[in-house]
């Protein structure tokens, strides 16, 4: 096992023993990954922060349920985050999506350009918009697979669903995403 | 984008073979706000067992009228193998929809709708659970969260309300 793995295992053991400070170490370690995933689920930084925060709080309260042999702590928290996104946060997304959509994508585009992460900011916006347009049930596995690099098995374990279901959702999400991003489609995938 | 993933998706000539990887790798990966850890830790101090957001506690006159009287009867029954049947009962004769939400549903709605009301106005749900400690609430008319006033134990949710607690 790696030093990083052992360090994390020690932190988790310390949390379980009642040392809350150890959990701060775990949050520090994984906050970017969880926040980025939450952003992809919510589509805006404000809700992403709330969602990431809630996922970590939930992880802390359920730490006894975490089983290292079933996956990494990071993947476990991502799974919690995904379940929250599918459940109680859904209504918030719907309520805010319409009013914030334009501003959020504009912000995303500016950040992409500033960070030099994309040569074509317009394309980034299209991809982001197409991803946001996927239903959460498809977006979750697509992001976990293609952005967070989880295997089908890891996704299945994180979400508590079967591998067949993951494969099916990945296929459907992939198909929809690529279809929306076909050359010749307008902004946001509209023909 | 993770390098392992990239390797899997590279063709023999080194070019990307999966267009989706190429497309998604261009998306920005914003860093988490610097104070996220502090805010999480503050939440843990204030609300160690918080399950829901405070806004769900907003009452509506309709929902309040629906649950005129609330009485919970919890009847555990040993099933064997450490599994126990627990019957949750809520007296809410005016209600048209009641569900049970708690640790055992991972606090997701829609998983344990209760049956009722019976002639006495009671809603009930039977749940098979491993022995343990569980927090729960009732959700009346999809909007009113109702704790159990007769539960032996309650636990603050950090926002002025209490989850009912049962030990099976």
């Amino acid at each position: 096992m790696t030093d990083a793995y052992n360090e994390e295992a020690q932190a988790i053991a310390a949390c379980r023993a009642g040392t809350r400070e150890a959990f701060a170490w775990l949050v520090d370690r994984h906050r970017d990954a969880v926040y980025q995933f939450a952003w992809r689920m919510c589509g805006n930084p404000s809700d992403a922060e709330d969602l990431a925060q809630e996922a970590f709080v939930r992880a802390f309260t359920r730490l006894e349920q975490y089983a290292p042999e079933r996956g990494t702590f990071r993947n476990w928290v991502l799974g919690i985050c995904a379940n929250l996104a599918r459940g109680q946060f859904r209504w918030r997304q719907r309520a805010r999506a319409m009013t914030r959509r334009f501003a959020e994508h504009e912000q995303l585009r500016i950040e992409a350009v500033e960070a030099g992460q994309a040569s074509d900011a317009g394309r980034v916006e299209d991809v982001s918009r197409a991803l946001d347009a996927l239903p959460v049930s498809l977006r979750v596995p697509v992001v976990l697979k293609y952005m967070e690099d989880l295997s089908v098995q890891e996704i299945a374990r994180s979400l508590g669903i079967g591998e067949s279901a993951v494969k099916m959702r990945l296929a459907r999400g992939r198909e929809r995403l690529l279809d929306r991003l076909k050359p010749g489609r307008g902004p946001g995938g509209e023909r | 984008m993770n390098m392992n993933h990239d390797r899997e998706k590279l063709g023999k000539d080194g070019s990307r073979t999966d267009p989706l990887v190429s497309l998604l790798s261009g998306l920005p990966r914003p860093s988490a706000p610097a104070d996220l850890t502090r805010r999480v830790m503050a939440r843990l101090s204030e609300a160690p067992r918080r399950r829901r957001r405070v806004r769900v506690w907003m009452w509506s006159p309709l929902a309040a009228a629906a649950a005129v009287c609330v009485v919970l009867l919890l009847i555990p029954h040993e099933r064997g193998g450490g599994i126990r049947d627990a019957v949750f009962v809520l007296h809410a004769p005016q209600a048209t929809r009641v569900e049970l939400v708690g640790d055992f549903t991972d606090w997701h709605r829609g998983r344990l709708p209760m049956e009722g009301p019976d002639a006495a106005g009671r809603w009930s749900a039977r749940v098979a659970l491993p022995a343990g400690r569980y927090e729960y609430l009732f959700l009346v008319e999809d909007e009113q969260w109702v704790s159990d006033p007769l539960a032996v134990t309650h636990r603050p949710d950090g926002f002025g309300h209490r989850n009912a607690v049962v030990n099976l």
Side-chain angles (χ1 to χ4, degrees):
Chain A
M1 292 295 176
T2 64
D3 288 345
Y5 180 89
N6 288 332
E7 241 181 333
E8 191 161 288
Q10 285 174 11
I12 291 167
C15 287
R16 285 174 166 164
T19 307
R20 289 192 172 197
E21 291 71 22
F23 195 72
W25 185 87
L26 288 166
V27 177
D28 272 338
R29 188 182 179 88
H30 299 294
R31 66 182 187 185
D32 281 348
V34 174
Y35 176 73
Q36 286 160 8
F37 178 73
W39 186 322
R40 294 266 54 105
M41 294 303 103
C42 299
N44 69 80
S46 173
D47 282 347
E49 194 173 338
D50 284 354
L51 179 54
Q53 201 181 123
E54 189 68 29
F56 279 119
V57 170
R58 187 73 62 99
F60 180 82
T61 60
R62 308 281 168 83
L63 204 53
E64 292 303 320
Q65 297 174 13
Y66 169 60
E69 66 275 12
R70 292 185 57 80
T72 64
F73 179 78
R74 168 180 167 272
N75 291 353
W76 183 62
V77 179
L78 289 177
I80 291 172
C81 195
N83 285 326
L84 285 168
R86 289 189 299 178
Q88 67 190 82
F89 275 77
R90 197 174 298 158
W91 65 272
R92 301 183 72 197
Q93 286 176 244
R94 286 175 182 158
R96 298 185 182 187
M98 295 306 290
T99 54
R100 290 195 173 178
R101 188 161 295 276
F102 177 79
E104 303 303 346
H105 281 100
E106 183 63 12
Q107 179 175 342
L108 208 60
R109 185 183 70 80
I110 293 168
E111 288 186 7
V113 173
E114 288 176 347
Q117 290 173 306
S119 57
D120 183 348
R123 187 62 171 164
V124 167
E125 188 173 337
D126 287 348
V127 173
S128 182
R129 195 171 287 177
L131 192 57
D132 286 355
L134 286 181
V136 173
S137 61
L138 302 183
R139 199 184 330 152
V140 165
V142 164
V143 171
L144 289 176
K145 170 74 176 169
Y146 294 105
M147 296 186 74
E148 300 301 331
D149 199 29
L150 270 64
S151 68
V152 168
Q153 186 184 47
E154 287 171 328
I155 296 171
R157 285 179 173 175
S158 295
L159 301 181
I161 60 178
E163 291 185 28
S164 296
V166 173
K167 289 175 184 171
M168 183 267 285
R169 291 180 192 185
L170 279 173
R172 286 176 56 197
R174 178 190 177 81
E175 185 182 339
R176 282 202 207 181
L177 205 49
L178 291 175
D179 185 55
R180 277 183 163 268
L181 293 167
K182 273 181 186 169
R185 285 202 165 210
E190 288 79 17
R191 287 186 189 279
Chain B
M1 181 60 65
N2 183 292
M3 294 306 292
N4 291 334
H5 189 78
D6 281 352
R7 277 200 299 274
E8 289 172 8
K9 302 301 176 185
L10 293 179
K12 288 179 182 175
D13 60 353
S15 63
R16 291 183 186 280
T17 56
D18 190 331
L20 204 54
V21 173
S22 300
L23 289 168
L24 297 180
S25 65
L27 293 178
R29 307 292 298 250
S31 297
D35 66 343
L36 182 63
T37 304
R38 183 187 58 75
R39 292 173 61 178
V40 168
M41 297 312 291
R43 281 273 310 277
L44 298 186
S45 301
E46 295 165 2
R49 297 289 293 178
R50 181 188 176 197
R51 298 300 188 197
R52 291 159 294 98
R53 305 191 72 78
V54 66
R55 66 185 68 188
V56 302
W57 285 97
M58 295 172 66
W59 287 53
S60 80
L62 179 64
V68 172
C69 179
V70 179
V71 178
L72 168 73
L73 303 171
L74 178 67
I75 310 163
H77 173 69
E78 183 71 42
R79 187 190 263 202
I83 302 296
R84 297 182 177 192
D85 273 342
V87 180
F88 295 82
V89 181
L90 174 74
H91 187 247
Q94 307 281 324
T96 59
R97 176 177 165 76
V98 180
E99 64 178 285
L100 183 62
V101 184
D103 287 328
F104 31 78
T105 69
D106 204 23
W107 292 94
H108 283 287
R109 302 178 183 192
R111 294 186 180 174
L112 281 175
M114 298 179 76
E115 293 182 359
D118 62 13
R122 289 178 304 202
W123 295 74
S124 62
R126 178 182 297 272
V127 189
L129 295 167
R133 181 179 181 282
Y134 301 93
E135 294 183 28
Y136 63 93
L137 290 168
F138 299 107
L139 179 59
V140 178
E141 309 294 19
D142 290 323
E143 60 181 325
Q144 183 192 0
W145 293 90
V146 178
S147 192
D148 168 23
L150 301 181
V152 175
T153 311
H154 292 88
R155 183 149 193 167
D157 69 352
F159 292 86
H161 296 280
R162 304 177 307 162
N163 293 340
V165 180
V166 60
N167 291 297
L168 294 176

